Each structure stands twice: as C-alpha cells, then as structure tokens.
C-alpha cells in the first residue's frame, strides 16, 4: 500500500472498497426432532477494507473466519447487517448483479488438493470461470489462461497437465490463477498457505504480495496463524466467537496488543521480535457459538477478567476453580434434557459427577466466608441437576461487568479493542495479566 493511500485514509478522505456493518450469519438447526438454537458463526462484525490493502483475519478454529469471508462474497446469506462493496449492498444484489459481483471478487481456498478437480487439465480448471462468464472467444480464453499461468509463476506449457503432476505449492498457484481469471478487485484468501511447508508458504506469500502491487488487488487474508500475518497484513482483525475483539495496523497489533485475547494469542507465537514473551495459557475451550456467554464473548477464558471488588481477596487458584466449576455447570446445562432433569429431580437423584468435579476443583483451594456460602448453595443445586440455576447463582455473585455488558470499542485512532479494561476506572490489561500469571 502506498503512503498516499495511508495519508488519504488517515485524513478520512478515502472511501473503503468493502464495508461490513453489524454482520451476522447464523446457521439454523434444521432437524425437526430436537431443534437447538442457531450457530452464531458471525455475530455482529463491523470493519472496512480499503483499496489495495490486506486485512488479515485471525482467530482460533471455529471462530467464524471462513463464514465471514463467504458471507462477504455472497456465498452465505447474511442473517442481518450489511456488506457494502464500492457503494453496493451485496445482500440487495440478485441474479445478474450477483454474478457481476462474483466476477469482481474471488476466493482462494486452504487445501489445493481438494479445490482442484483431478480429472480436468490445469488449463480447463483456470479457464472454467472464463467459460462460465463467456469471456471473449475460445482462443482468447486459452491465451488468457496461458498469461495467468505465467503471472503466478507457472509455465504456459502446464496447460495440458493434470493436478496430480504438481506439488502443493504449485497447486496453490493454480488456485490463485483461477481466482484471478475474471480480474477481481477483491480476493478472499482462506488459509491459502496452511497446507504448505514453511518454505513454500513464504513463496506463495511473496507471489500474493507481488500480485497485489501489480494488479492493485485488495485482500481479506484468513489465517489461524498470527505469525503468517506479519508477512502480508497491513491491518489485522482478531476474531473470537463470531466477534472482532481487536483490529488495528499490523505493526501496532504485534507490538502493542490491547485486547487480552490478542495478548494470549501473541504469547503463543514463538520468538516474537526476539523477545522472550511468556506464554499466557487460556483456560478451557471456546464456548459453543450456539450459546455464547452474556456480556463480553471472551469473559469465560479471559486472563484479565474484571472481578467484583467484594471478592478481591480470592486467590488466583480460587478464581480458577470457580471459573472451571462454572464451565462444568454450563456444559451440563447445555446438554440437559428438560424432561429427564425434572424426573431426576423428583426422584431425589444426586449427580455424582458433580460431586466428583467439586472434590477435584475445590479440595485444595481456600475459599471462606460469603464466597464459600454461595458456592455451597450452587453445589446443592447442581447435585439436584439444577445446573442452570446453580450457574446463575454463581454468575450473580462472581460475574462482574464483563458478564453484564458487551464492551464497546474503547480506543480511537483507527484501533478497535472491545474490552472494559480500557476504561479509566479499571486497571490496564497488561499488568493484570502479568500479575495473575506470576501468582499462578
Ligand atoms: N454450514 C454450516 N452449518 C452449520 N454450522 C456451520 C456451518 N459452517 C460453519 N458452521 C459452524 O460455524 C462456526 C464457525 O465456523 P467457520 O468455519 O466459519 O470458522 P473458522 O474460524 O473458519 O474455522 P476453521 O479455521 O476451522 O475453518 C463453527 O462452529 C462451525 O461449526
């Protein structure tokens, strides 16, 4: 990206190529028997992508990256919100217009093995979009394919070969040539290097960077791997459970992460800037996108969660035990069949698994006074299979602001970090994470 582009954006005079506003993509459960809540794969995402830039989208598996990319291309239908490309709302397009939009955008997929049809020649694979849109004469199309093969670093003679004759990196070049066939302005690159060896990854990233400069392309580059982003992204959006937790210029996100989730992701990148950043291990697993937590989506695993002041004296071990017990309760509440639970309650059933979890979690930690009284009440409810009530009691007592309210973006200057800790009344993220890690 040029300095002029950056200046224009800073001055607010450059219009974005793509604007995503409060985008939601939910997958409904179609089964008639036991219908569950929808999977909230993308749950209220907003950002802009400017012409000629690469926005890196990073996050753990299942956080909604692919769904977001596919929705932006009109390959999934948004449940709510807008994707506006060059002033046109993708959701409003239909028929011919949607085909036209598809022409101006393309997608490169993770696994070149799977995305290339082994029974077609390379020429046919790359030519397919040109044939589908009846671009030029057959001779012109063949010529264009030969040019495209050269553009991505292959040979025109490869036209009549088959995918199995190529290496992983070469196959990804074929996938890129195909995505470029219709001269798109905007490309979604979904983990395009994840299936490749590190040295091949670097070559594909170089190719993508060169193509961007030569053809003025705009990229959404999806990866679960933050270290890859360093080599390609101008800005980075960090996604967690269907939401963007943090977004900012790549260098700022790397050098000065603001959101606790980014802090923990970065701590897992080996040898970051040669520093010896200690790893922040996240407890538990991401919650189900069918049943995201209330308040901040990251609150169930956050290493900097704001705790209610009245329980300031509880140790890190005590908090870990309480959070782990709450996760057990949430899991059981989610898997609970209402009728079966009612029958168990009436029969005076005691949930032995809960008793075992309680022994496991609480036998070696000290929790006294009011806090323990509430935990005991919750254990009684859980042993009666009243998991949701047990969890609600703990949420009331130990929840705090992170569970009560979804944080807004609390930063300015082109950066986003949705965390309550950026407000003046709370201590900053970094010292809290550091202290809790030291106490661990
Ligand atoms: N067609 C579908 N029907 C129902 N649920 C889906 C569908 N596609 C994705 N999901 C669910 O939506 C959530 C987000 O999935 P998505 O593939 O977008 O995440 P991701 O971050 O790209 O993960 P990965 O890196 O593993 O591909 C997951 O819980 C996934 O199981």
């Amino acid at each position: 990206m040029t300095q002029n582009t950056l200046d224009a954006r800073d001055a607010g005079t450059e219009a974005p190529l793509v604007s995503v506003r409060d985008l939601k993509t939910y997958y409904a459960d179609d089964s008639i028997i036991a219908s569950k809540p929808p999977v909230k794969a993308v749950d209220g995402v907003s950002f802009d992508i400017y012409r000629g830039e690469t926005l890196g989208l990073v996050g753990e598996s299942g956080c909604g990256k692919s769904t977001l990319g596919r929705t932006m291309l009109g390959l999934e239908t948004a449940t709510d919100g807008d994707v506006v490309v060059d002033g046109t709302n993708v959701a409003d397009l239909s028929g011919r217009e949607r085909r036209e939009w598809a022409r101006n955008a393309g997608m490169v997929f993770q696994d070149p093995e799977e995305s290339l049809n082994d029974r077609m020649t390379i020429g046919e694979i790359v030519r397919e979009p040109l044939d589908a849109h009846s671009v030029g004469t057959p001779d012109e199309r063949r010529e264009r394919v030969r040019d495209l093969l050269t553009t991505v670093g292959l040979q025109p003679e490869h036209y009549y070969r088959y995918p199995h004759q190529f290496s992983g990196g070469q196959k990804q070049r074929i996938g890129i040539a195909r995505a470029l066939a219709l001269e798109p302005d905007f490309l979604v690159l979904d983990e395009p290097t994840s299936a490749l060896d590190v040295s091949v990854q670097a070559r594909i990233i170089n190719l993508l960077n060169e193509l961007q400069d030569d053809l003025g392309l705009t990229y959404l580059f999806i990866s679960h791997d933050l270290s890859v982003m360093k080599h390609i992204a101008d800005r980075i959006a960090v996604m967690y459970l269907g939401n963007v937790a943090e977004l900012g210029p790549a260098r700022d996100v790397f050098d000065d992460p603001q959101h606790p989730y980014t802090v923990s992701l970065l701590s897992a990148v080996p040898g970051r800037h040669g520093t010896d950043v200690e790893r922040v291990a996240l407890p538990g697993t991401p919650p189900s996108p069918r049943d995201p937590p209330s308040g901040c989506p990251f609150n169930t695993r956050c290493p900097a969660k704001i705790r209610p002041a009245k329980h300031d004296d509880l140790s890190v071990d005590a908090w870990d035990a309480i959070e782990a017990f709450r996760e057990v309760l949430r899991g059981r509440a989610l898997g609970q069949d209402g009728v079966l639970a009612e029958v168990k309650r009436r029969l005076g059933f005691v949930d032995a698994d809960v008793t075992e979890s309680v022994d496991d979690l609480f036998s070696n930690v000290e929790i006294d006074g009011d806090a323990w009284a509430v935990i005991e009440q919750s254990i009684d409810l859980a042993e009666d299979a009243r998991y949701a009530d047990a969890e609600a009691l703990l949420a009331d007592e130990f929840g705090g602001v992170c569970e009560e309210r979804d944080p807004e973006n609390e930063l300015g200057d082109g950066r986003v970090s949705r965390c309550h800790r950026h407000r003046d009344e709370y201590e900053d993220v970094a010292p809290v994470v550091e202290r809790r890690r030291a106490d661990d």
Side-chain angles (χ1 to χ4, degrees):
M1 207 177 357
T2 66
Q3 189 57 43
N4 284 348
T5 315
L6 285 169
D7 292 345
R9 188 184 314 157
D10 288 346
T13 52
E14 190 202 354
L17 176 67
V18 185
S19 276
V20 175
R21 288 292 172 272
D22 208 16
L23 191 69
K24 296 181 182 167
T25 308
Y26 294 177
Y27 295 107
D29 184 16
D30 293 332
S31 75
I32 322 164
I33 311 160
S35 87
K36 296 183 190 148
V39 175
K40 296 176 175 173
V42 177
D43 199 14
V45 163
S46 301
F47 55 73
D48 293 323
I49 309 182
Y50 292 86
R51 238 174 242 287
E53 82 163 339
T54 300
L55 179 70
L57 185 63
V58 71
E60 285 163 293
S61 175
C63 71
K65 304 179 297 294
S66 298
T67 303
L68 175 55
R70 292 174 58 79
T71 310
M72 289 169 69
L73 294 186
L75 299 171
E76 298 287 347
T77 306
T79 309
D80 204 358
D82 299 304
V83 177
V84 179
V85 182
D86 232 356
T88 305
N89 197 329
V90 175
D92 296 340
L93 300 179
S94 62
R96 191 182 57 77
E97 291 171 329
R98 203 177 264 253
R99 281 196 293 279
E100 196 54 37
W101 160 233
R103 234 185 116 120
N104 288 321
M107 188 143 180
V108 176
F109 297 95
Q110 171 174 357
D111 197 344
E113 307 289 333
E114 275 179 26
S115 55
L116 305 182
N117 185 340
D118 240 340
R119 276 176 303 199
M120 288 164 79
T121 64
I122 303 312
E124 285 166 340
I125 289 171
V126 178
R127 211 183 63 210
E128 207 179 29
L130 297 169
D131 292 341
H133 287 86
S134 308
V135 177
T137 64
D139 271 352
E140 284 167 347
R141 282 177 227 160
R142 273 192 288 276
E143 198 45 43
R144 168 113 182 97
V145 171
R146 289 196 172 90
D147 286 348
L148 281 164
L149 291 177
T150 312
T151 306
V152 299
L154 296 169
Q155 314 291 327
E157 305 80 78
H158 288 150
Y159 194 103
Y160 292 107
R161 300 223 183 131
Y162 286 87
H164 70 265
Q165 296 173 280
F166 291 87
S167 67
Q170 286 175 317
K171 284 184 192 165
Q172 197 52 292
R173 286 173 193 266
I174 298 164
I176 293 168
R178 182 186 154 98
L180 292 175
L182 294 168
E183 299 181 41
D185 295 328
F186 174 56
L187 277 184
V188 173
L189 304 156
D190 193 354
E191 307 258 11
T193 59
S194 306
L196 307 174
D197 293 345
V198 175
S199 62
V200 185
Q201 280 187 6
R203 287 205 286 274
I204 294 294
I205 287 188
N206 286 343
L207 170 68
L208 290 168
N209 280 329
E210 280 162 27
L211 291 172
Q212 182 167 53
D213 290 346
D214 293 348
L215 307 174
L217 297 169
T218 305
Y219 295 150
L220 177 72
F221 186 97
I222 297 174
S223 178
H224 65 276
D225 182 357
L226 250 172
S227 52
V228 173
M229 291 297 177
K230 203 164 27 178
H231 306 289
I232 189 151
D234 297 299
R235 290 187 302 146
I236 294 178
V238 181
M239 204 170 169
Y240 184 82
L241 205 62
N243 289 260
V244 168
E246 173 156 8
L247 190 154
R251 193 175 303 157
D252 295 354
V253 171
F254 267 102
D255 291 351
D256 183 26
Q258 294 290 311
H259 195 281
Y261 180 53
T262 320
V263 170
S264 56
L265 275 186
L266 273 170
S267 76
V269 174
R272 185 164 70 99
H273 304 301
T275 56
D276 199 10
V277 182
E278 252 195 80
R279 183 150 190 187
V280 185
L282 291 181
T285 50
S288 163
R290 283 188 200 281
D291 184 31
S294 61
C296 172
F298 189 49
N299 84 65
T300 55
R301 302 170 78 203
C302 182
K305 185 172 172 182
I306 299 165
R307 271 104 189 228
K310 67 175 169 176
H311 292 306
D312 236 5
D313 54 330
L314 287 178
S315 68
V316 170
D317 286 347
W319 279 111
D320 286 350
I322 293 167
E323 296 293 356
F325 184 46
R326 293 185 61 193
E327 195 168 333
V328 170
L329 294 174
R330 280 191 293 268
R332 295 184 86 76
L334 200 63
Q336 182 179 44
D337 175 283
V339 180
L340 187 63
E342 187 54 37
V343 172
K344 283 176 171 177
R345 259 200 292 283
R346 291 196 183 174
L347 292 173
F349 157 91
V350 172
D351 188 332
D353 288 347
V354 165
T355 316
E356 200 182 313
S357 304
V358 167
D359 284 349
D360 235 24
L361 293 168
F362 292 107
S363 54
N364 289 323
V365 291
E366 245 179 74
I367 308 178
D368 311 307
D370 290 351
W372 184 247
V374 174
I375 294 168
E376 275 192 313
Q377 280 179 47
S378 167
I379 294 170
D380 288 345
L381 288 168
E383 286 180 337
D384 283 349
R386 293 174 59 185
Y387 310 114
D389 294 341
E391 157 59 4
L393 195 66
L394 296 180
D396 257 4
E397 185 67 21
F398 300 106
V401 64
C402 299
E403 294 188 28
E404 282 157 19
R405 270 183 293 126
D406 193 1
E408 302 282 318
N409 175 32
E410 300 290 348
L411 304 177
D413 288 342
R415 289 199 70 171
V416 171
S417 175
R418 293 169 62 111
C419 177
H420 291 299
R421 281 223 175 261
H422 305 315
R423 300 204 337 240
D424 288 345
E425 65 257 50
Y426 301 114
E427 195 181 352
D428 272 351
V429 172
V432 177
V433 173
E434 206 39 62
R435 196 174 52 245
R436 289 187 188 170
R437 189 169 41 195
D439 289 351
D440 218 355

